[in-house]
């Protein structure tokens, strides 16, 4: 048997497939897509994964959040500078923004923000996307030649090509070659995928030079090179580059999607937005510009809005494939044969009516109080168990600071109340542009 997709949020199915102690492993999907070296996300072997996770958990640990907050807040300050320049006159009640006033594509800026943030957290590099308002970046070929490409374009092209071709694992490599020869679309995607590799390689080699010159920087790269006592980890260079690749990919794309979607959903639901602003006003003053994490990290409605947004539109929507052990495995009480690919999509599980009442409705309140805590076990936007997202805390840090700052300082309006975004799915559910009108809030004198 080959391929079982479970379409419910049953707790036992989630635990049987993804929970700590599951005998299911990451599926062949991951090893088929991996490069010369496994990274934390595509590594299948359990012992190897545990070794990697141990090295990286120091870097991703909660206690590091505080020391990295400045790497986020300085990006938020840059966002403010850019948005201030794009501010328009206040919208009169009942009016629609005129097209010329839609000065911000919020989607693009969320990308610039998360890409700048992860490059700083991971490599102490200042990409400068927010300042430039562009994601043009230099990549490097193995022969040392450099080129300029678009970070988003090459990242998404890689995911587009892979998500179309991966599903017959044995055929993936020949299909990739064939499609690149026969189709200009695939040929372009694979060329851009090569550009992505060169973007990562260039970042890693530049950072290595700084390391070799003796600079001790507080970032993931340093944590990969040495343990916290300064003892070298002696990891192969290919493994370091592979970790940089997954960090620059997973660390930017999904958080940008989440930040974008939360803004969109709040603009669509003015009463939820008003409740959130009321909560923010209990801790922020008119003089606060970039919000500090400490000021807002415990606000329950703010967190509820983020979780409700990631419930309704989980950034990663595809069913993350796991493989049953050779002897088979019981899932939700049913015996599933060995070597079967099994998965649950967060998009589907988060719509299980038995767990989430009115699943299509944006109701942040469902995450509040004891009942909200109870629901958390069904929330799988970051997956679960030992292969759950290691960057979750960093992502919340970015989301909380940016959203609170933006909503405290600005008003936003969609093109019109019925406006909906384009959505495109590869492994992530990728929203298209989010054009908004932006203006400073009244009585706000920061
Ligand atoms: C809203 C933001 C995010 C979402 C929705 C998200 C979602 C996920 C999911 C669903 C997985 C499991 C993937 C799988 O099983 O194939 C995962 C794993 C992972 N994520 Fe995230 N992620 C987010 C942010 C981040 C950030 C900011 C980073 C890095 C700074 C990151 C790094 C990783 C890594 C390295 C793994 C692999 C973990 C392992 O297998 O041990 N993610 N993420």
């Amino acid at each position: 048997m080959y391929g079982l997709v479970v379409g419910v949020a049953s707790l036992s199915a989630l635990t049987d497939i993804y929970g700590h102690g599951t005998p299911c492993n990451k599926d062949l999907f991951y090893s088929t897509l991996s490069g010369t070296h496994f990274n934390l996300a595509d590594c299948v072997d359990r012992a190897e994964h545990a070794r990697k996770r141990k090295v990286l958990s120091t870097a991703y640990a909660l206690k590091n959040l505080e020391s990295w907050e400045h790497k986020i807040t300085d990006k938020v300050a840059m966002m403010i500078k850019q948005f201030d320049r794009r501010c328009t006159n206040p919208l009169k009640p009942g009016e629609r923004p005129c097209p010329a006033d839609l000065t911000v594509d919020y989607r693009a800026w969320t990308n610039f923000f998360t890409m700048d943030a992860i490059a700083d957290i991971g490599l102490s590099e200042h990409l400068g996307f927010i300042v430039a308002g562009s994601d043009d970046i230099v990549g490097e070929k193995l022969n040392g030649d450099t080129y300029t490409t678009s970070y988003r374009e090459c990242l998404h092209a890689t995911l587009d090509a892979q998500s179309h071709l991966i599903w017959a694992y044995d055929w993936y490599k020949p299909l990739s070659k064939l499609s690149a020869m026969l189709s200009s679309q695939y040929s372009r995607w694979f060329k851009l995928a090569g550009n992505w590799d060169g973007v990562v390689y260039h970042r890693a080699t530049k950072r290595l030079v700084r390391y070799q010159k003796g600079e001790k920087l507080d970032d993931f790269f340093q944590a990969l090179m040495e343990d916290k006592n300064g003892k070298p980890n002696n990891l192969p260079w290919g493994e370091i580059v592979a970790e940089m690749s997954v960090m620059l990919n997973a660390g930017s794309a999904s958080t940008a999607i989440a930040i974008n979607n939360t803004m969109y959903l709040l603009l669509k639901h003015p009463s939820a937005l008003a409740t959130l602003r009321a909560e923010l006003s209990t801790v922020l003053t008119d003089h606060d510009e970039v919000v500090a994490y400490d000021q807002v990290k415990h606000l329950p409605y703010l967190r509820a809005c983020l979780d409700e947004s990631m419930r309704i539109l989980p950034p990663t929507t595809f069913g993350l494939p796991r493989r049953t052990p050779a002897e088979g495995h019981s899932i939700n009480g049913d015996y599933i044969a060995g070597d079967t690919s099994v998965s649950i999509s967060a998009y589907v599980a988060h719509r299980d009516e038995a767990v989430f009442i009115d699943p299509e409705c944006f109701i942040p309140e469902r995450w509040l109080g004891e009942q909200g805590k109870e629901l958390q076990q069904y929330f799988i936007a970051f997956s679960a168990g030992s292969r759950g997202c290691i960057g979750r805390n960093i992502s919340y840090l970015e989301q909380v600071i940016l959203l609170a700052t933006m909503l405290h300082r600005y008003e936003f309006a969609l093109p019109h109340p019925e406006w909906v975004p384009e959505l495109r799915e590869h492994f992530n559910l990728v929203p298209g542009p989010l054009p908004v009108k932006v203006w400073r809030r009244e009585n706000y004198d920061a």
Side-chain angles (χ1 to χ4, degrees):
M1 189 173 152
Y2 195 75
L4 171 81
V5 174
V6 182
V8 292
S10 133
L11 198 53
S12 61
L14 290 174
T15 330
D16 291 339
I17 299 178
Y18 298 104
H20 285 286
T22 174
C24 296
N25 250 351
K26 282 211 158 177
D27 194 17
L28 301 177
F29 168 92
Y30 295 91
S31 42
T32 309
L33 287 182
S34 95
T36 54
H37 290 74
F38 288 112
N39 61 45
L40 187 65
D42 64 21
C43 168
V44 176
D45 183 81
R46 280 171 184 259
E48 177 68 353
H49 175 258
R51 176 193 66 78
K52 279 173 168 290
R53 187 118 180 174
K54 200 165 158 228
V55 171
L56 281 156
S57 56
T58 337
Y60 284 86
L62 203 57
K63 66 179 167 44
N64 277 330
L65 284 189
E66 276 161 36
S67 62
W68 281 333
E69 187 178 345
H70 72 278
K71 297 194 180 205
I72 312 255
T73 48
D74 72 342
K75 312 293 173 293
V76 176
M78 292 173 197
M79 291 282 278
I80 284 182
K81 269 199 183 148
Q82 292 286 22
F83 277 48
D84 278 358
R85 282 190 209 142
R86 287 163 177 78
C87 273
T88 54
N89 290 326
L91 189 67
K92 296 204 179 89
E95 270 188 2
R96 288 183 172 203
C98 67
D101 275 359
L102 299 167
T103 51
V104 166
D105 170 10
Y106 198 70
R107 169 72 178 127
W109 289 95
T110 62
N111 279 129
F112 303 152
F113 169 70
T114 60
M115 294 182 300
D116 270 0
I118 199 62
D120 198 354
I121 292 170
L123 294 145
S124 302
E125 181 173 351
H126 293 227
L127 293 180
F129 289 169
I130 302 174
V131 171
S134 146
D135 66 345
D136 281 352
I137 189 164
V138 174
E140 179 179 338
K141 297 181 184 168
L142 289 176
N143 65 7
D145 288 352
T146 56
Y147 54 85
T148 300
T149 188
S150 149
Y151 187 115
R152 282 179 299 170
E153 238 196 319
C154 54
L155 175 58
H156 287 292
T158 309
L159 301 172
D160 276 323
Q162 291 176 339
S163 68
H164 287 197
L165 300 175
I166 180 60
W167 302 108
Y169 304 146
D170 292 344
W171 288 89
Y172 175 67
K173 294 220 156 80
L175 273 179
S176 302
K177 280 199 184 123
L178 204 62
S179 56
M181 276 177 351
L182 298 179
S183 146
S184 56
Q185 171 75 296
Y186 282 89
S187 151
R188 183 174 165 274
W189 277 342
F190 281 113
K191 183 172 178 301
L192 285 164
N195 282 3
W196 171 255
D197 294 339
V199 163
V200 176
Y201 180 67
H202 189 58
R203 311 268 82 66
T205 50
K206 273 175 72 179
R207 180 63 183 84
L208 180 65
V209 171
R210 295 179 76 179
Y211 177 79
Q212 286 167 335
K213 282 187 181 155
E215 275 191 79
K216 290 267 180 239
L217 299 167
D218 189 15
D219 58 22
F220 287 176
F221 189 93
Q222 178 69 30
L224 282 167
M225 299 301 280
E226 293 171 10
D227 72 10
K228 53 181 183 302
N229 302 315
K231 194 167 144 261
N233 289 324
N234 293 323
L235 302 179
W237 178 236
E239 182 174 345
I240 306 259
V241 176
E243 296 303 350
M244 290 296 118
S245 178
V246 71
M247 179 201 75
L248 288 168
N249 168 348
S252 65
S254 13
T255 302
I257 294 175
I259 293 173
N260 175 82
N261 291 344
T262 308
M263 178 60 82
Y264 163 69
L265 287 164
L266 285 168
L267 296 180
K268 278 284 199 191
H269 298 89
S271 71
L273 178 58
T275 309
L276 177 53
R277 284 221 168 103
E279 187 187 61
L280 290 173
S281 69
T282 62
V283 292
L284 302 178
T285 70
D286 281 356
H287 302 284
D288 284 314
E289 279 200 16
V290 177
V291 169
Y293 187 51
D294 255 355
Q295 286 175 288
V296 289
K297 67 179 176 193
H298 295 306
L299 295 180
Y301 200 77
L302 173 58
R303 177 60 178 260
C305 288
L306 303 181
D307 287 352
E308 182 63 350
S309 152
M310 288 187 280
R311 179 194 69 79
I312 221 164
L313 292 170
T316 304
T317 35
F318 86 115
L320 307 167
R322 302 293 185 261
R323 201 163 190 82
T324 56
E327 66 278 14
H329 180 44
S330 164
I331 295 177
N332 211 18
D334 291 323
Y335 171 77
I336 305 298
D339 292 325
T340 304
S341 176
V342 290
S343 65
I344 301 181
S345 150
Y347 187 92
V348 177
H350 289 173
R351 281 168 168 70
D352 187 338
E353 286 179 330
V355 178
F356 300 102
I357 297 156
D358 293 332
E360 293 296 341
C361 298
F362 180 74
I363 311 173
E365 288 74 7
R366 71 172 90 237
W367 298 102
L368 300 176
E370 282 311 307
Q371 170 213 339
K373 268 190 209 143
E374 185 63 19
L375 271 189
Q376 280 292 340
Q377 55 195 328
Y378 300 96
F379 176 66
I380 53 164
F382 294 97
S383 191
S386 62
R387 302 308 299 258
C389 180
I390 197 174
R392 176 185 176 128
N393 293 324
I394 293 177
S395 177
Y396 276 119
L397 179 71
E398 293 181 26
Q399 294 189 51
V400 159
I401 298 178
L402 185 68
L403 183 65
T405 303
M406 287 287 152
L407 292 182
H408 189 54
R409 190 175 181 86
Y410 304 111
E411 295 285 355
F412 295 90
L414 292 171
H416 53 82
E418 305 77 38
W419 187 89
V420 287
E422 287 163 25
L423 290 172
R424 186 169 62 87
E425 189 177 21
H426 40 60
F427 302 121
N428 292 335
L429 187 60
V430 187
L434 176 53
V436 286
K437 172 181 165 74
V438 55
W439 66 103
R440 287 290 291 274
R441 290 183 72 200
E442 274 175 32
N443 303 326
Y444 185 89
D445 60 359

